[in-house]
Structure formats: structure tokens, C-alpha cells
Amino acid sequence: MKNKNLLLAVAVVSLAIIANIQMQKSTVNDSEQAMSTTAIAEQYVKLTLALGEHEAGYVDAYYGPDEWVTDIKSDTPALEEIVATAKKLVHHLSFQLAEKSKLEEIEQLRVDYLNTQLNALIARTQMNIGSVDYSFDQETMALFDTQAPKYEWQDFASTLEELDTLLPGEDDLIAKLAEFRKQFVIPPEKLKAVFDVAIKECRDRTKQHVSLLSNENFELEFVTDKPWSGYNWYKGDAYSLIQVNTEFPINISRAIDLGCHEGYPGHHTYNGLLEANLYQQRGWVEFSVYPLFSPQSLIAEGSANYGIEMAFPNDEKLQFEQNVLFPLAGLDASKAELYGKVSALTAKVSYAGNEVGRLYLDGKVEGKEAAELLQQYALMPAEKATQRVKFMDTYGSYIINYNWGKDLVKNWVEQDPTLTQEQKWQRFSMLLSTPRLPSTLN
């Protein structure tokens, strides 16, 4: 009888212990699930600002609470702490991800966006620590949520041959192209007038399809000694500083290209819509910051490049250049058509730049050879090739965001071949106003 009572007592105690453990687990899980998406988003912003204190240029734009910057500057967490905290946030976010099918579509996009941006932040922080050694393709996947297609040199051969036949002269292709391009350089004294007209046209065309913010505005500034040809510094409240690098000659086609890319419907428009629609209206604080080395950059650069042909479909860009910009710059408009053909062909070899970047950043060629390959296959002028190597030194595999990003955006917008131009604009505008990721555009 005593043994039975003893066994019964042991069983009761065991059940109590098990119940207590289960209750503790339940409490932990409830606590973990209790961290809201908003709380996770706030911590994500602060971690992004913290990494920006360690890596200059990581934070491309910020227009959130000033006190967050002050707090981070006064007590900046170490890189290892940033990684640890970000991993905890990813863990907390896993509960929302597991239940995301219950959310409306834009909320699902938000959860996916936060998760992918956090993982990119972890990867970039680890790169700063030196605890990871990514190849070119591994880096693009870790930072930009995608991997660009690979090409062989022979894939560009037919385009190079076509250009060689098209251009006059007996020199090699690189020399002939360099001589040809000299005819289409905007005189320095005409730069501001040409860019002012080009950007205004980009804005007017965009405004016909996109509801721009009533207070949106920008300042145009010409600079030198930069690793890029143009840059948009978004300041918040629908205002941008757009800089154009005049260190090297600027060809006439760059006026529209940069006007669209940096302004309308590119970076200035994209950042303004995200701020208005997601940060201000919805209160999603994660859209008060733009970390450069993140999936958001592929959407930003891809939409900015695709935006050129959205604003100037078919041959409208060439027509505007020929009728307006060529005369304004004092260039021979009769050569505009040939210039357009040459420009279209040179654009077809842009992926050669990715292949050079892959070789260079994977340590298979040195900088000098990389510049020579950029001239030979990507048809960059010598000075631009040197600038592009400097760009890769600074920004690494970021180069895929321009061409591969454009193709991803274009394919997503135009996935239905029956869409009218206005319907394409509707899809494009939706992309500019929602938290989509590169991996969702395939």
C-alpha cells in the first residue's frame, strides 16, 4: 500500500513538473509572438543606423525620428551585437511568417520585406566584421536577394560585329566608337540648360501617369571626383539632391537617362512614394530608412532604369533628343538616328560589365585588366572603364542592380503581353508604392 501511495505521489509530482514546463514554454512562446511587426521594424531601423555608423555610405537615406540617430551615435552597438540582435529579430519575425497567409497581401509583403532586409543587414555586417568571404554570386544573393545570369564572351560577339560594321572608319571598334562618341558630347556651358529641359520633360511625362506629391522638389548639382555618373540623395519630405558627375564628358543621351533615373520616374519618385504611402500613411517605420546594400536597391535601380523606357516608349526618346536636345546642345541633329542605333547596340553588351565584375571581385583579374575588359566587351571609354573599376571597389556586386534589376522589373511589369501602356504604368506605379522584393519579380 505504501508503494502504491509512493508511486501515486511520484506521478502527481511528475505531472506537475511537466505542466509547469509546458506552461513556461507557453509563456516563452507567447512572449516571443508578442513582439509586433512594428516593434521589429523599429529595431531594424535602429540597427541599420548603427551599421551606418560603422560603414560610411551604408545608410543612403533616413528621414525618421531625429532622436534615434542621436541615441545610436551616443551609444553605437558593436558589429557583433548588431548581428546578434538582428538574428533575434529574424527569429521573432518567424512567427509572423508562419501565420502570414492570414494577412492581407500588402501585410504579407511587409513581413517578407522585413525578413529579407534583416538577413541582408546581417550579411553586410558580417562582411564588415570579416567573418564571411562571399563570392560575387553569393554576395548578390545575400545582399540583393537575387543572382544575375551568367554570360560568356562569345555571347557578345554578334553585337560587337554589328557595331563594327555600322561605325565608319578603319580603326578597331574601340577606337572607332571613341571617335564617334566625341560628336555627341554636351558642351560644358550647355550642360545645365540641357539637363533642365531633359528633367522637366521626364517629370511632365511621369506626371501624366503617376500622382506625384504636391510638395515634391529637387535641386540639381554638378560635381566631380565621384565613382558614379549620377546620384540621388533623397532627403525626405519629397525632396532630393540630384548630383551629376562632370569629371568626364557627358554624351547627349545621358541627359534623359539621368533625368529619368535619378528623378522621374526614378529614385526621386520612388523614394517619395514609399515615404508617403508606407511611412507616413501606414506608419511603417522601416520605410524611413534606405540601406544601400539591401534588396531595396535592386528594386530602386531596376525601376529607375526601366523608368526611362516607361517615360519614353518606343522611339520617343530619340525623337525628343533629335528635335529638342540636339539643337539645344548645339549638336548635329542629322546624326541622331545613327547615334540612337549605336546607343541601342552598346546597351546590349551591358551584361559584359557584370562578367568583368564577377572576375574582378572574385580575384581572377586585377584592376588594370578589368578596365581593359570593360573597354573591349562592355565598350566603355577608357576613362569610364577606370571609373567603373573604382565603383566596384566601393560598391562591389551592386553593379547587377542596374541591368539585371531593370530586366526583372521590366519582365514583372510586362508579364502580360496584352497590357496597354497605361496598364503598364499602373503596374509600375504599384511597384513603386509597395514593399516588393527581387525574388518576387521572377
Side-chain angles (χ1 to χ4, degrees), residues 255-399:
I256 289 294
D257 289 351
L258 290 174
C260 285
H261 184 100
E262 308 299 344
Y264 309 90
H267 295 325
H268 175 68
T269 305
Y270 173 64
N271 286 318
L273 291 176
L274 285 183
E275 179 188 11
N277 294 327
L278 300 183
Y279 177 48
Q280 293 181 352
Q281 291 184 17
R282 289 182 175 269
W284 291 359
V285 294
E286 64 269 32
F287 292 97
S288 66
V289 69
Y290 171 20
L292 194 65
F293 297 100
S294 72
Q296 186 179 354
S297 278
L298 186 134
I299 303 295
E301 303 294 359
S303 61
N305 269 358
Y306 177 63
I308 300 169
E309 61 184 76
M310 283 297 294
F312 294 84
N314 304 316
D315 61 350
E316 291 183 22
K317 179 174 183 284
L318 174 61
Q319 290 175 5
F320 184 79
E321 289 172 344
Q322 185 174 31
N323 297 332
V324 180
L325 297 187
F326 269 72
L328 185 59
L331 303 179
D332 186 352
S334 68
K335 298 179 179 179
E337 188 173 347
L338 177 59
Y339 177 70
K341 290 179 180 178
V342 172
S343 297
L345 286 171
T346 55
K348 291 176 66 175
V349 297
S350 71
Y351 275 99
N354 291 9
E355 298 310 317
V356 175
R358 186 179 278 109
L359 290 172
Y360 178 57
L361 295 171
D362 284 348
K364 296 179 180 178
V365 298
E366 298 296 326
K368 182 180 179 182
E369 185 179 356
E372 292 171 350
L373 288 170
L374 287 170
Q375 292 177 67
Q376 181 179 355
Y377 291 104
L379 299 177
M380 293 184 182
E383 66 273 10
K384 292 292 289 184
T386 300
Q387 183 189 57
R388 180 48 62 98
V389 173
K390 290 181 180 178
F391 184 96
M392 290 188 287
D393 287 335
T394 304
Y395 298 105
S397 65
Y398 192 97
I399 56 175

Side-chain angles (χ1 to χ4, degrees), residues 160-320:
L160 298 178
E161 290 171 5
E162 188 176 353
L163 266 170
D164 197 22
T165 302
L166 184 63
L167 290 171
E170 300 299 325
D171 291 330
D172 62 57
L173 175 57
I174 297 174
K176 288 198 297 183
L177 186 57
E179 190 64 27
F180 178 78
R181 282 168 166 158
K182 288 179 182 178
Q183 305 172 78
F184 306 100
V185 173
I186 305 172
E189 68 274 12
K190 301 287 185 81
L191 271 175
K192 187 176 188 310
V194 170
F195 268 84
D196 284 346
V197 170
I199 294 175
K200 181 180 183 304
E201 185 69 13
C202 296
R203 183 182 185 277
D204 289 346
R205 287 168 173 259
T206 298
K207 195 174 182 179
Q208 295 175 26
H209 308 281
V210 179
S211 297
L212 299 176
L213 304 176
S214 60
N215 63 326
E216 64 87 14
N217 200 5
F218 70 92
E219 178 185 352
L220 178 64
E221 184 176 82
F222 295 102
V223 297
T224 58
D225 194 27
K226 303 294 181 183
W228 35 258
S229 58
Y231 211 103
N232 177 293
W233 303 98
Y234 187 71
K235 304 298 185 180
D237 196 26
Y239 175 77
S240 292
L241 170 63
I242 296 176
Q243 293 183 326
V244 175
N245 187 0
T246 61
E247 184 175 0
F248 303 119
I250 300 177
N251 286 353
I252 191 69
S253 64
R254 295 298 287 159
I256 289 294
D257 289 351
L258 290 174
C260 285
H261 184 100
E262 308 299 344
Y264 309 90
H267 295 325
H268 175 68
T269 305
Y270 173 64
N271 286 318
L273 291 176
L274 285 183
E275 179 188 11
N277 294 327
L278 300 183
Y279 177 48
Q280 293 181 352
Q281 291 184 17
R282 289 182 175 269
W284 291 359
V285 294
E286 64 269 32
F287 292 97
S288 66
V289 69
Y290 171 20
L292 194 65
F293 297 100
S294 72
Q296 186 179 354
S297 278
L298 186 134
I299 303 295
E301 303 294 359
S303 61
N305 269 358
Y306 177 63
I308 300 169
E309 61 184 76
M310 283 297 294
F312 294 84
N314 304 316
D315 61 350
E316 291 183 22
K317 179 174 183 284
L318 174 61
Q319 290 175 5
F320 184 79

